[in-house]
Amino acid sequence: MGKCDGRCTLLVICSLQLVAALQRQVFDFLGYQWAPILANFLHIMAVILGMFGTVQFRFRYLIFYAVWLVLWVGWNSFIICFYLEVGKLSQNRDFLMTFNTSLHRSWWMEHGPGCLVTPVLDSQMAPDDHHVITVSGCLLDYQYIEVLSSAIQILLALFGFVYACYVSKVFQDDEDSFDFIGGFDSYGYQPPQKSSHLQLQPLYTAG
């Protein structure tokens, strides 16, 4: 029962991670955030692999999934520090999120709840093919939306890591006690041997 409960819980966590990652991927695509797009893609693949390992009793896949979650927590912690401008990190360094291919920011910057976008006409600050805008009236600034999204990812990753380690340990114990390939060999089972009841009798000849 414990193994079943652990597997079911891990599958639920993976499903929530998958939904959250796909939702985040959509908004990162809209904001041309190439670095998060790449990270989200790798995360989606790792979560799918973790779900497969859970269903198919593959503890090595779960170990890989758990290791990836450690990296995922580190990446989301960096995003939180980036948007809160911790230390020397600054949002003005666009190349960190767009690989220096565009000047786009987070999609939530212009489309946050209650945000009013006003274009600045005839601005000399805008480079070619770009325009300057002012954003006001936001109920929640875009950087806090990004921080909240990363915090949710970290929370799900922590739960996923704990359950992945637990379920993989259960799978490994089961694999040690029962050989899925050899059947009952690990229990010392031996197939019945054909016993011969033929006994050799001496041959007497009349002489």
Side-chain angles (χ1 to χ4, degrees):
M1 180 63 68
K3 181 180 71 172
C4 180
D5 292 342
R7 288 179 62 216
C8 295
T9 303
L10 183 57
L11 286 174
V12 171
I13 294 174
C14 289
S15 299
L16 293 175
Q17 284 183 312
L18 197 59
V19 172
L22 290 173
Q23 171 266 335
R24 190 178 192 181
Q25 185 78 313
V26 170
F27 293 116
D28 285 338
F29 262 115
L30 293 175
Y32 301 97
Q33 304 292 291
W34 302 118
I37 287 172
L38 178 60
N40 292 335
F41 176 78
L42 295 177
H43 180 60
I44 291 172
M45 294 296 101
V47 171
I48 293 175
L49 191 63
M51 297 178 72
F52 178 80
T54 303
V55 173
Q56 296 295 324
F57 299 90
R58 305 293 181 87
F59 79 93
R60 291 180 180 84
Y61 290 173
L62 290 179
I63 293 299
F64 174 82
Y65 165 72
V67 172
W68 166 258
L69 289 182
V70 175
L71 301 177
W72 185 243
V73 169
W75 167 253
N76 282 278
S77 300
F78 166 77
I79 291 181
I80 292 176
C81 294
F82 175 78
Y83 281 106
L84 295 180
E85 297 187 340
V86 176
K88 295 183 179 181
L89 293 175
S90 174
Q91 299 179 44
N92 294 324
R93 299 179 179 180
D94 301 283
F95 65 89
L96 291 178
M97 293 299 173
T98 64
F99 294 140
N100 204 28
T101 59
S102 70
L103 297 178
H104 289 89
R105 299 290 182 87
S106 170
W107 183 83
W108 294 106
M109 182 178 184
E110 302 179 28
H111 303 87
C115 291
L116 178 62
V117 179
T118 304
V120 178
L121 303 177
D122 300 330
S123 175
Q124 302 298 324
M125 297 175 57
D128 296 339
D129 301 328
H130 288 76
H131 61 277
V132 176
I133 60 173
T134 59
V135 182
S136 60
C138 295
L139 298 178
L140 186 63
D141 290 337
Y142 73 95
Q143 57 264 35
Y144 298 116
I145 296 178
E146 294 287 358
V147 167
L148 180 61
S149 176
S150 294
I152 293 175
Q153 295 287 344
I154 291 176
L155 183 63
L156 291 174
L158 292 178
F159 280 109
F161 178 82
V162 172
Y163 274 93
C165 293
Y166 167 70
V167 175
S168 63
K169 182 64 168 57
V170 173
F171 288 175
Q172 188 175 15
D173 291 342
D174 288 347
E175 187 174 278
D176 292 339
S177 61
F178 184 84
D179 186 2
F180 287 96
I181 299 178
F184 294 96
D185 290 346
S186 59
Y187 289 97
Y189 174 80
Q190 297 294 335
Q193 306 240 344
K194 291 185 179 180
S195 59
S196 176
H197 299 284
L198 180 63
Q199 297 181 358
L200 297 177
Q201 298 292 338
L203 180 62
Y204 296 96
T205 60

